[in-house]
Amino acid sequence: MSTQRTPAGLITAVFLGTFMALLDMSVVNVALPAMQTELHARMTDVQWVVDGYVLCLSAFMLTGGALGDRFGRRKVFLSGLAVFTLSSVLCALAPDIQTLIAGRMLQGIGASAVTPGALSLLAQGFPDQARRARMIGLWGAVSALAVVLGPLLGGLLTQGPGWPYIFLINVPLGLIALVAGAKGIRESADPEHAATDPLGQILGVVWLAALTFVVIEAGHRGWTDPLILGLLAVAVLVFAVFVAVERHSPRAMLPTSLFADSRFTVANIASFVLGFGAYGTFYLLSLYLQQIQGTSAAMTGVKFLPYSIAIALCSTQAGRLTARFGPRGTMIGGYGLIGVGLLGLLVLSPTTGYVTVGVLFAVLGAGMGLAIAPTNAAALSAVPRQRSGAAASTVNAARQAGTALGIAVLGSVLSARATTDMAADIKDAAGAGARDTAAEIVAQHGQAPTSLRIPADTVHHYFTEAFADGLRLSLLIAGVAILAVTAAVALFLRPGADPAAGAPATPEPSPAAERPVAADNSRPVPRAGD
């Protein structure tokens, strides 16, 4: 039947757009030292190269999904893809760190339309539940591979033509995706179910940005610093106002009514913790291989291959398992493996052999592959298909917000623990200023100030041991969080009907529920040239 034909243009645009958007979450990690040197930047500046992108991606993702539902999913997706591609050029040509950070933030804004738009387009393009689950499984494989292949490509390009090429690679990919999407995606929209919420968007950006800044900078300034305390109070207050506004707004950016279904709530909590624990530790593991074990940028990517291969293999199986048995069991298996992998990594030390590291990376990757697709499917299965844009943006925003806070929180925990250990090691030589000196050594990745009368090799040894101790504490926190959410999925993610395949999860009195709407690809919204 013609309705079973796989739309090649849609698949090409969605998969390439997703690959680009998520690749740029990890591709810069191994290039940060080169960026810092060439752009004469501080370590805190280059940290914002990572977090600036993730922060804007998560903060604007809810609006990206809602705009697609309201003005057309094809139009918004392609617009976001164009912004992302152009801002990649800005990043590559950046003459200073400030321009690079600005370009990364623009990339995040563009990606905030691409990522939820991709998932929503799949939901619209594949109304059959089993086929949609398989496509989401493949989408999850592409997503996971983009994240883990980032260090491999980043390392090869950084050691080869230079770090600007980690951004220039997006230009040909973006052009292919734009052409394929313009020709192969059919427009769909559900303005009756969409929401534009400028006040909610502003409040959402403010509270998340303030909280991220607090967590990152508290490690350097201390939690008693007036600026940190003030911004923490701002974050808490604005978050409370944000929740109140969204609960009472008739067209809220955050669809709080969808959280009445416990499946949707559990799926979003799980997605947040997945970002916090699994994606948040990836950045730290990359630093461990380079800064502690002395692995080159390119070789770091190679050492992550067990991780990426396991994700690729298990992601495709996750789609099939979800289509056959539903998301709950697959999520339990995936999140359980992630928790076991993270806790297994507690054996890491500066001298841990690669066989141990590689096996644990494979376990962690297998869990990631099994977790991503069913988490997205669980969220989409809890809502009517005409709300797929809002649901997709919410579950993805939860994961990206978790990633942003995971990088900030786990990085700060590592830094604080390493600084404490370093201060104890150098207290005799540094005297009263031991903690400040230790903080400087940790921030400079083991480089001691010339005023410290300790051999450089000894300082580096202290640093590697302190870093490994801090890493183990961060991994413990991440592993416990993942296992806790695994238990929550087992206890509270009840099975149910798939409203995205037909009937709504909850009654929604709307004209769109009583007549054919544009979300059904058999009745597409006309576009120019049709």
Side-chain angles (χ1 to χ4, degrees):
M1 294 178 60
S2 60
T3 57
Q4 296 298 309
R5 181 174 57 88
T6 299
L10 168 65
I11 296 300
T12 300
V14 165
F15 282 18
L16 271 181
T18 298
F19 182 85
M20 292 165 55
L22 296 183
L23 179 72
D24 271 50
M25 287 180 58
S26 62
V27 72
V28 301
N29 287 343
V30 296
L32 290 178
M35 293 176 181
Q36 184 178 7
T37 300
E38 292 187 24
L39 299 178
H40 308 290
R42 300 173 301 168
M43 191 59 206
T44 51
D45 293 329
V46 294
Q47 187 174 359
W48 277 107
V49 173
V50 178
D51 261 342
Y53 177 82
V54 180
L55 180 64
C56 288
L57 175 60
S58 59
F60 289 96
M61 191 172 284
L62 289 171
T63 295
L67 290 175
D69 288 344
R70 183 173 181 83
F71 297 109
R73 298 178 180 92
R74 173 182 178 271
K75 182 186 302 180
V76 172
F77 175 83
L78 294 178
S79 297
L81 195 56
V83 169
F84 183 90
T85 303
L86 290 173
S87 57
S88 296
V89 177
L90 176 62
C91 290
L93 301 178
D96 51 52
I97 194 66
Q98 290 77 20
T99 304
L100 178 58
I101 293 172
R104 289 286 287 168
M105 289 182 170
L106 286 173
Q107 276 190 314
I109 293 173
S112 70
V114 171
T115 305
L119 195 54
S120 181
L121 286 171
L122 289 179
Q124 302 302 318
F126 297 92
D128 176 73
Q129 180 183 0
R131 295 190 75 211
R132 185 175 67 247
R134 286 192 290 271
M135 284 298 106
I136 291 176
L138 292 174
W139 178 87
V142 171
S143 303
L145 280 174
V147 173
V148 297
L149 287 178
L152 179 61
L153 293 175
L156 292 172
L157 293 172
T158 299
Q159 288 190 193
W163 66 261
Y165 284 84
I166 67 176
F167 300 112
L168 289 177
I169 194 175
N170 291 326
V171 176
L173 297 178
L175 292 176
I176 293 171
L178 284 168
V179 172
K183 292 183 177 180
I185 299 177
R186 308 186 76 179
E187 187 63 282
S188 63
D190 290 290
E192 300 92 343
H193 294 274
T196 52
D197 181 13
L199 178 59
Q201 177 64 84
I202 293 171
L203 293 172
V205 171
V206 169
W207 83 261
L208 186 57
L211 183 59
T212 302
F213 182 90
V214 164
V215 174
I216 291 175
E217 294 296 328
H220 305 292
R221 298 172 179 266
W223 286 96
T224 58
D225 183 85
L227 177 62
I228 296 300
L229 292 175
L231 284 177
L232 181 60
V234 168
V236 172
L237 177 62
V238 173
F239 177 73
V241 175
F242 171 74
V243 173
V245 167
E246 297 305 284
R247 284 175 61 88
H248 296 93
S249 173
R251 303 186 71 82
M253 175 185 71
L254 181 67
T256 54
S257 62
L258 298 182
F259 287 91
D261 191 312
S262 62
R263 293 172 298 161
F264 189 76
T265 301
V266 172
N268 278 276
I269 293 173
S271 187
F272 178 89
V273 176
L274 178 64
F276 180 92
Y279 287 100
T281 55
F282 184 77
Y283 169 73
L284 303 180
L285 292 172
S286 178
L287 290 180
Y288 165 78
L289 290 175
Q290 292 186 79
Q291 302 292 341
I292 305 308
Q293 294 207 322
T295 307
S296 68
M299 199 61 195
T300 294
V302 173
K303 286 189 174 184
F304 272 117
L305 283 177
Y307 195 37
S308 59
I309 291 172
I311 288 180
L313 294 175
C314 292
S315 292
T316 55
Q317 296 303 312
R320 295 188 180 95
L321 292 171
T322 302
R324 185 171 181 181
F325 301 110
R328 180 175 175 270
T330 312
M331 287 178 68
I332 292 172
Y335 282 79
L337 281 175
I338 294 172
V340 169
L342 289 172
L343 295 182
L345 288 168
L346 294 177
V347 303
L348 292 183
S349 72
T351 58
T352 301
Y354 180 67
V355 172
T356 300
V357 174
V359 169
L360 290 170
F361 278 2
V363 173
L364 192 57
M368 290 277 288
L370 290 174
I372 298 169
T375 302
N376 292 325
L380 287 176
S381 70
V383 303
R385 208 169 104 228
Q386 61 265 31
R387 301 300 306 273
S388 62
S393 61
T394 302
V395 71
N396 277 285
R399 184 166 60 252
Q400 303 308 334
T403 300
L405 292 178
I407 292 172
V409 170
L410 298 176
S412 293
V413 167
L414 187 157
S415 179
R417 183 62 169 263
T419 298
T420 299
D421 289 356
M422 281 291 302
D425 290 330
I426 66 173
K427 64 180 180 181
D428 291 337
R435 186 163 185 86
D436 290 340
T437 303
E440 182 180 350
I441 293 171
V442 171
Q444 296 299 323
H445 297 291
Q447 295 183 4
T450 56
S451 60
L452 186 64
R453 297 180 179 178
I454 299 178
D457 289 345
T458 302
V459 172
H460 184 72
H461 170 73
Y462 289 158
F463 168 71
T464 57
E465 293 291 344
F467 185 101
D469 189 36
L471 176 61
R472 287 190 292 268
L473 180 58
S474 295
L475 291 169
L476 176 62
I477 294 171
V480 169
I482 289 288
L483 291 180
V485 87
T486 305
V489 169
L491 292 173
F492 303 115
L493 187 64
R494 56 182 175 81
D498 179 16
T506 55
E508 292 202 28
S510 165
E514 304 298 332
R515 57 178 173 77
V517 295
D520 184 346
N521 279 350
S522 65
R523 296 282 303 276
V525 174
R527 58 184 169 92
D530 280 351

